């Protein structure tokens, strides 16, 4: 669709998504067996970026867009330049673990509301984490390209170089044409749909 030179781009993104989902499920299960106080649950629920805490409506939507599409992506891009594999994916773990803890605590405290919370979280989760995974798939190749160029300096038998121009171009195409729109939809979903679904079922 976007004439990407990387045929495995979407497959890698899907693998990142599966990884994040497994971490989320494991975290929910582990958190369920804890016995947190109500105050702990409240504190977990308040872990929102500064730009969205205390905001409502379109201002909150914009805060989520800026946070997920630009701030988090910018940080991940910077980390991808460091020649350490998967360092750029740290935020994906946080995106899975923090909500997992909160949802697990809620299920522990009130099983019905907890499961309703999980159901209402699913649409937003798929979109937001899906967007992050599309970003990470591109950063994987950027990071691999940088590492390949560095290691080739010290190799007698050089490995095939990866075109830095191509991997950056692939990343930019996917980010602008797919990931960014997904982040925008996710922001609206998190602001409006998640609360609507939760209130509808409780």
């Amino acid at each position: 669709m976007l004439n990407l030179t990387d045929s495995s781009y979407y497959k890698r993104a899907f693998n990142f998504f599966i990884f994040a989902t497994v971490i989320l499920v494991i975290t929910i299960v582990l958190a369920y067996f804890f016995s947190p106080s109500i105050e702990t649950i409240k504190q977990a629920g308040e872990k929102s970026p500064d730009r969205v805490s205390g905001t409502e409506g379109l201002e909150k939507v914009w805060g989520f867009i800026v946070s997920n599409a630009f701030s988090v992506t910018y940080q991940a891009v910077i980390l991808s330049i460091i020649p350490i594999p998967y360092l750029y994916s740290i935020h994906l773990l946080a995106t899975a673990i923090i909500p997992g803890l909160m949802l697990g605590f809620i299920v522990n405290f009130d099983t019905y509301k907890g499961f309703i919370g999980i159901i209402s979280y699913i649409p937003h989760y798929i979109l937001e984490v899906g967007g992050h995974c599309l970003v990470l798939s591109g950063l994987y190749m950027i990071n691999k390209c940088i590492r390949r160029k560095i290691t080739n300096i010290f190799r007698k038998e050089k490995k095939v170089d990866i075109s830095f121009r191509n991997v950056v171009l692939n990343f930019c195409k996917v980010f602008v044409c797919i990931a960014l729109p997904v982040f925008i939809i996710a922001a609206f979903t998190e602001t409006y749909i998640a609360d609507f679904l939760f209130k509808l079922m409780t």
Side-chain angles (χ1 to χ4, degrees), residues 1-121:
M1 180 176 67
L2 299 178
N3 294 322
L4 301 181
T5 57
D6 182 359
S7 60
S8 300
Y9 196 106
Y10 300 114
K11 182 180 179 180
R12 273 197 315 275
F14 182 72
N15 289 339
F16 274 117
F17 184 85
I18 294 298
F19 171 76
T21 303
V22 169
I23 295 297
L24 175 70
V25 172
I26 291 173
T27 305
I28 291 173
V29 172
L30 291 177
Y32 172 77
F33 290 102
F34 295 146
S35 298
S37 64
I38 297 177
E39 189 61 31
T40 303
I41 296 173
K42 288 181 179 179
Q43 289 176 358
E46 291 170 357
K47 297 296 182 183
S48 298
D50 291 339
R51 60 176 54 87
V52 298
S53 58
T55 60
E56 294 181 358
L58 292 178
E59 186 180 357
K60 189 173 185 178
V61 171
W62 176 245
F64 281 128
I65 293 171
V66 172
S67 177
N68 291 318
F70 299 109
S71 296
V72 173
T73 299
Y74 173 75
Q75 293 166 16
V77 168
I78 296 300
L79 290 175
S80 73
I81 298 172
I82 302 172
I84 300 175
Y86 301 106
L87 182 63
Y88 48 86
S89 62
I90 288 176
H91 75 277
L92 186 65
L93 288 174
T95 302
I97 290 173
I98 294 174
L101 287 172
M102 186 176 69
L103 291 170
F105 289 165
I106 295 173
V107 172
N108 180 293
F109 180 71
D110 187 323
T111 303
Y112 177 74
K113 285 189 176 180
F115 279 110
I116 295 302
I118 291 173
I119 292 170
S120 62
Y121 177 67

